[in-house]
Amino acid sequence: MNVQDKIKEMETKRNTNHNLMDYRQWLSEAMPNHIRLQKIQVAGTNGKGSTARWLQDLLVANDWKVGLFTSPHLESHTERIRINDQPISLQDWERIYDQYAEFFKEKEFTMFEMDTWMAIAYFLEQKVDIAIMEVGLGGRLDATTALDYVCTLITNVEMDHQEILGDSIEQITFEKSGVFKPGVVALTTEKKPQCQEVMEHVAGYFQTPLGFVEMPSQQEEQGITFTWNDQKLVLRQPAFQLENLALALECTAVIGIGLKPETIQPVIDAYQHQGRYTIVRKNPLLIVDGAHNLAGIKALCQSLDGFKGTIYFSAMKEKEVEKMIEYLKETNNPIVWVDLDLERSYDANNLNLERMNIETCIEQLENADQPALVCGSLFLAGKVLSNLTK
């Protein structure tokens, strides 16, 4: 098999993860030094990837060698494992995969367990100073939770993945709070009282120091202004990014990393996260955003700031699709449903929307003379980005 065949085979392994104690034991036997690697865990419903990216950019700007593990990917599986924002090469990916392939097969690892394992192996090999590990789903039973951390973060809690995490906001909060560890500081920007109460109970049980992060700000002509460590800063990103940035900044303070003040504003100004409010083209405007659940669509709609153009939308069947569409309709823009050739895709037959396949969507976007927004599915976002950013 070539490397692409190995990746495709790996991506079919989507069963239930193993018991975390077993996974940790296997990891400790194969790579005992994983305990010594400084790591930060990022959990939450929305904003995990953005918060991890903010952390990476801030630390890299302060001369840290940073490993970053995220999921899912947009264009290439190698995007999931990065050092200083450079994806692992296909050659290194294959070399590490081949090293453990028989073990993965013997233990019947899931794709995410393999991804996590390979990320740790690569970060140890490359001697990163710190690794940022994004939770795949939930937290309590996630493979990344088998590791040790210097700090754990929860961005927020919303109704998502109810079929796995539970059908109430309290149950979902409990699952995400499963990342808490004894004596390890946990930070969150979650504001809902019922979620905070659950987090406080879990933190009390684990004896976890828990902090609720807030960042007062105001909208000014130049952007969203706020003060951190007596330094006035300006954010020119969508408003929802302020909480992600605040969480990253507070994390650096909690773990004792003194950021050089002169590095912070340039990081904010240069920030880009592919697939998260990505402006692919300015004339005519084309925005690609991976908002793929109700809370993400709400935040996106609040950030559109008078956008007028066509919205190309698609979503998976487990999402609150009709509610997401109602929010998009409030922008008073035409909505086109993009059919995806995926088993998980929502059945759009009863939505009464114009429909097209993904090939036609990409062709229209390539030749558009009016603004356009692509959202609702990370798969759709990835396909559009891979075709229109070459």
Side-chain angles (χ1 to χ4, degrees):
M1 287 194 296
N2 63 33
V3 64
Q4 294 299 340
D5 290 333
K6 293 171 185 177
I7 290 173
K8 287 178 182 177
E9 181 182 52
M10 178 191 193
E11 290 178 343
T12 67
K13 309 299 183 182
R14 295 179 178 270
N15 298 321
T16 303
N17 287 340
H18 288 80
N19 178 281
L20 295 190
M21 294 299 292
D22 291 337
Y23 187 78
R24 179 183 173 88
Q25 179 63 33
W26 295 328
L27 195 64
S28 296
E29 290 170 358
M31 293 175 275
N33 285 339
H34 79 86
I35 296 171
R36 299 176 187 167
L37 176 61
Q38 285 197 85
K39 297 177 290 294
I40 299 166
Q41 187 179 27
V42 185
T45 302
N46 292 308
K48 297 189 298 293
S50 294
T51 299
R53 179 60 187 258
W54 280 116
L55 266 171
Q56 171 201 260
D57 291 359
L58 289 165
L59 295 174
V60 169
N62 283 266
D63 304 319
W64 286 64
K65 187 175 184 180
V66 182
L68 178 64
F69 173 64
T70 60
S71 64
H73 60 273
L74 286 172
E75 300 178 48
S76 169
H77 201 103
T78 57
E79 296 168 23
R80 296 172 178 234
I81 302 173
R82 295 172 176 262
I83 293 179
N84 286 9
D85 204 34
Q86 293 302 309
I88 185 172
S89 68
L90 281 172
Q91 293 80 6
D92 283 336
W93 188 97
E94 185 174 29
R95 175 176 54 79
I96 294 173
Y97 177 84
D98 287 347
Q99 182 180 350
Y100 296 105
E102 286 302 314
F103 182 76
F104 291 160
K105 184 177 181 180
E106 174 194 341
K107 298 300 183 184
E108 297 182 330
F109 271 18
T110 66
M111 178 188 71
F112 192 78
E113 287 173 326
M114 289 184 252
D115 280 332
T116 304
W117 185 286
M118 291 174 64
I120 293 299
Y122 187 56
F123 296 156
L124 287 172
E125 173 189 283
Q126 298 297 314
K127 295 181 171 59
V128 301
D129 298 316
I130 196 164
I132 302 163
M133 307 294 293
E134 180 189 340
V135 167
L137 177 64
R140 184 174 65 90
L141 302 177
D142 192 83
T144 61
T145 303
L147 303 169
D148 302 291
Y149 294 97
V150 296
C151 189
T152 59
L153 310 177
I154 299 179
T155 56
N156 51 56
V157 181
E158 300 290 349
M159 297 297 292
D160 197 20
H161 295 294
Q162 292 97 311
E163 73 284 0
I164 298 173
L165 302 180
D167 57 8
S168 74
I169 197 73
E170 290 83 3
Q171 285 179 299
I172 294 174
T173 304
F174 174 77
E175 291 295 327
K176 294 192 183 293
S177 300
V179 302
F180 293 170
K181 296 185 182 298
V184 177
V185 173
L187 301 175
T188 181
T189 49
E190 176 55 57
K191 294 181 174 60
K192 292 185 285 295
Q194 66 269 40
C195 298
Q196 291 186 341
E197 184 177 355
V198 172
M199 289 183 188
E200 286 172 338
H201 281 304
V202 176
Y205 177 81
F206 282 119
Q207 296 187 321
T208 299
L210 175 62
F212 296 102
V213 176
E214 293 189 22
M215 187 68 77
S217 64
Q218 57 186 8
Q219 183 69 52
E220 297 184 5
E221 185 176 347
Q222 68 268 41
I224 300 169
T225 62
F226 64 99
T227 300
W228 187 75
N229 277 4
D230 298 323
Q231 182 180 2
K232 184 175 180 180
L233 299 164
V234 181
L235 176 69
R236 299 176 184 87
Q237 293 282 331
F240 61 80
Q241 284 290 5
L242 179 62
E243 291 190 349
N244 301 326
L245 171 58
L247 197 56
L249 287 168
E250 286 300 310
C251 176
T252 65
V254 161
I255 63 178
I257 297 175
L259 300 179
K260 292 176 283 189
E262 67 272 16
T263 66
I264 300 175
Q265 189 62 59
V267 165
I268 296 173
D269 292 341
Y271 179 85
Q272 293 183 22
H273 188 185
Q274 193 80 324
R276 275 69 168 183
Y277 210 87
T278 300
I279 297 177
V280 177
R281 184 179 60 214
K282 291 187 177 181
N283 188 23
L285 180 64
L286 172 57
I287 302 170
V288 175
D289 191 281
H292 57 282
N293 55 35
L294 184 58
I297 289 293
K298 285 182 184 179
L300 172 61
C301 290
Q302 291 167 0
S303 303
L304 287 177
D305 192 26
F307 169 87
K308 292 301 174 186
T310 302
I311 298 174
Y312 295 85
F313 175 78
S314 192
M316 300 298 112
K317 59 186 177 183
E318 66 269 18
K319 305 298 181 179
E320 299 175 278
V321 175
E322 294 186 14
K323 291 182 180 179
M324 294 162 74
I325 291 172
E326 288 305 310
Y327 270 97
L328 292 172
K329 284 181 176 178
E330 291 181 8
T331 67
N332 295 316
N333 290 298
I335 302 171
V336 176
W337 178 271
V338 182
D339 287 312
L340 306 177
D341 187 19
L342 295 173
E343 184 180 342
R344 290 176 54 215
S345 291
Y346 184 82
D347 184 354
N349 287 327
N350 298 320
L351 288 180
N352 194 28
L353 294 176
E354 179 186 348
R355 296 171 64 176
M356 65 180 59
N357 60 36
I358 195 166
E359 291 78 17
T360 303
C361 170
I362 291 169
E363 183 180 351
Q364 284 200 6
L365 292 170
E366 286 177 333
N367 299 302
D369 57 5
Q370 298 294 323
L373 165 67
V374 176
C375 63
S377 161
L378 285 168
F379 180 84
L380 174 60
K383 285 291 186 182
V384 170
L385 287 170
S386 64
N387 280 275
L388 271 74
T389 57
K390 290 178 180 176

